[in-house]
Structure formats: structure tokens, C-alpha cells
């Protein structure tokens, strides 16, 4: 069951440095939300707070509230590992485990959770690879290394690995930036299909990609050099790209800066 995310008054710190200030938005279930903005404005930082991935950096902390279907993911009794299982992540550079087979890459998360029964893992591997539009391409070489696939196939393998543990939300940090146009198109098509079951949040530098794949868009920017990043505007993608509320949004989308 895909879930909604409510972000309210969130500030993000690395030690004493405030990286992002006062972010509030609602991410609807079964939708694609794009984060856009110039480099260094906090898009990926905000993305990583949505499943507590930023906590792996010493001194990182969050103030404010992030609710997943009404439950505070930063509550004192909440296990970050469970948060990351519910809210999966796909990174910028395809990162299949290089020494593992395609099969073992897909079930890596299941194995960590203690699921090793072969009938179960066989079923999950096929289901996840089919969902990632990769099954027909790799079904005859599941025992071969995942690192032997093309870049686009590796990224779809990473998506299969993320959805094998049945998350409700998928976060994608510039998932196509290392891919060629044909592979990018395949991943974009996949995002369209996956939103029927998942809530998806994607960071992208590609304005056309944001316009193509997302339902809602958040535009992030810096108030000034050395200042925290902030959310300038959050709206439906259609409105953002045709009639944004903020002049800075229009300037960025039309290519006048960034």
C-alpha cells in the first residue's frame, strides 16, 4: 500500500551548519514528485531525510516533522532500519553488488531480513525483475554477475533490488544521470509503471525529465551563497512548468540561471 509523506517545518543540519531550512510539503500516495533546483541547494539532502539515510553521516540531524501516513519516522521508538525497508532508495550511480549474481543482488535485502527459502526467493526474483522490466533480458543468466550488465540494466537491477523488500515509497536520487538516452527512456517508462503501486520521489537536474515523469514538483534554491537551501515552491508539475507562483521558479525552469 503506497503511503503519503507529510513534511512540516523541517530544518536539516550537519553539525552546526544548517544545510536546509523550513521545508514543508505533502507528497501524495501513488504519485511521482520531482525535486529540482541548482546544485548544492539541498534537494538530495531533503530526499535522504525522507528515509533517514542522512543519519549515516556523523553529526547530521533533523528538526521538524516527517510523517509517513501520520506516523513520525523520527519518533523515539522507530527503528531506522524499518524506515529504510518501507522507504527504499535508488542512487545516482548504478550500484549492484559487484561480486554477487543478478539473482543474489535482487534478494540481498530479503536475506538480511532472514528470508532464504528458495521457493520464496525464486518468486520474489521473478516478480521484482518483471516489475523492473528486466526479466526477459536476464532470465537466462540469473547466475551471472550483476556488474556484467549494461549501465541501464544495472540501474533497473538496483530498482528490482529496492522493490524486492516490498517498500511503500521509492526515493530516486538522479537515477538517470549516468545513463544514455535509451536507458534513461527505459527508466522513465518504468517510473510511470511503478507509480501504480508506489509513492515515488525523484531528484533530477533534467527539467524535461521532471516535466515528463512527475505529477508534482518542488523547486529548491539557495537564498544566497553560504545560506541554507530552502523550498521556493511546491506545486503540480503542470502549473510549475506553465505558470509558476514564484519568479525565481520561472527563471530557473526557463534556463536563466542554474
Amino acid at each position: 500500500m503506497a503511503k503519503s509523506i507529510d513534511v512540516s517545518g523541517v530544518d536539516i543540519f550537519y553539525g552546526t551548519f544548517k544545510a536546509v531550512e523550513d521545508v514543508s510539503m505533502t507528497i501524495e500516495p501513488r504519485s511521482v514528485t520531482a525535486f529540482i533546483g541548482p546544485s548544492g541547494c539541498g534537494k538530495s539532502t531533503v530526499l535522504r531525510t525522507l528515509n533517514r539515510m542522512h543519519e549515516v553521516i556523523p553529526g547530521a540531524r533533523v528538526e521538524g516533522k516527517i510523517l509517513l501516513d501520520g506516523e513520525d519516522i523520527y519518533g523515539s521508538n522507530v527503528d531506522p532500519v524499518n524506515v529504510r525497508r518501507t522507504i527504499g532508495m535508488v542512487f545516482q550511480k548504478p550500484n549492484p553488488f559487484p561480486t554477487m549474481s543478478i539473482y543474489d543482488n535482487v534478494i540481498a535485502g530479503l536475506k538480511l531480513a532472514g528470508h532464504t527459502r528458495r521457493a520464496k526467493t525464486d518468486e520474489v526474483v521473478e516478480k521484482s525483475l518483471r516489475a523492473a522490466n528486466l526479466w526477459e533480458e536476464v532470465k537466462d543468466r540469473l547466475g551471472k554477475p550483476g556488474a556484467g550488465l549494461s549501465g541501464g540494466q544495472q540501474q533497473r537491477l538496483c530498482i528490482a533490488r529496492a522493490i524486492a523488500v516490498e517498500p511503500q515509497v521509492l526515493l530516486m536520487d538522479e537515477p538517470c544521470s549516468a545513463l544514455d538516452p535509451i536507458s534513461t527512456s527505459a527508466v522513465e517508462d518504468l517510473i510511470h509503471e511503478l507509480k501504480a503501486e508506489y509513492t515515488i520521489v525523484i531528484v533530477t537536474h533534467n527539467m524535461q525529465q521532471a516535466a515528463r515523469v512527475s505529477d508534482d514538483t518542488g523547486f529548491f534554491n539557495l537564498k544566497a551563497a553560504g545560506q541554507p537551501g530552502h523550498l521556493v515552491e511546491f506545486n503540480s508539475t503542470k502549473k510549475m512548468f506553465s505558470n509558476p507562483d514564484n519568479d525565481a521558479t520561472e527563471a530557473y525552469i526557463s534556463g536563466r540561471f542554474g
Side-chain angles (χ1 to χ4, degrees), residues 28-39:
E28 299 292 344
R30 288 195 175 89
S31 69
V32 180
T33 299
F35 291 171
I36 62 171
S39 296

Side-chain angles (χ1 to χ4, degrees), residues 126-146:
E126 180 171 350
K127 182 182 174 187
S128 302
L129 289 170
R130 282 191 185 280
N133 284 342
L134 194 57
W135 175 252
E136 293 299 330
E137 295 167 52
V138 303
K139 64 182 179 183
D140 298 323
R141 47 178 172 149
L142 295 176
K144 298 281 175 63

Side-chain angles (χ1 to χ4, degrees), residues 3 6 8 19 50 77 108 134 142 165-166 172 230 247 253:
K3 296 196 175 187
D6 286 293
S8 177
L50 299 181
N77 60 340
L134 194 57
L142 295 176
V165 295
E166 299 185 332
M172 299 184 173
H230 69 119
D247 290 344
I253 285 172

Side-chain angles (χ1 to χ4, degrees), residues 38-52:
S39 296
C41 65
K43 306 181 298 295
S44 293
T45 297
V46 172
L47 190 78
R48 287 195 296 268
T49 65
L50 299 181
N51 73 343
R52 301 183 60 166

Side-chain angles (χ1 to χ4, degrees), residues 187-202:
V187 171
E188 288 182 4
D189 288 345
L190 177 56
I191 289 169
H192 272 296
E193 291 172 26
L194 290 175
K195 82 167 182 179
E197 291 196 36
Y198 302 95
T199 304
I200 298 173
V201 187
I202 177 172

Side-chain angles (χ1 to χ4, degrees), residues 5-47:
I5 304 174
D6 286 293
V7 180
S8 177
V10 163
D11 296 337
I12 306 167
F13 296 84
Y14 294 107
T16 57
F17 174 67
K18 186 191 280 188
V20 178
E21 185 171 70
D22 194 25
V23 173
S24 298
M25 70 179 95
T26 297
I27 296 166
E28 299 292 344
R30 288 195 175 89
S31 69
V32 180
T33 299
F35 291 171
I36 62 171
S39 296
C41 65
K43 306 181 298 295
S44 293
T45 297
V46 172
L47 190 78

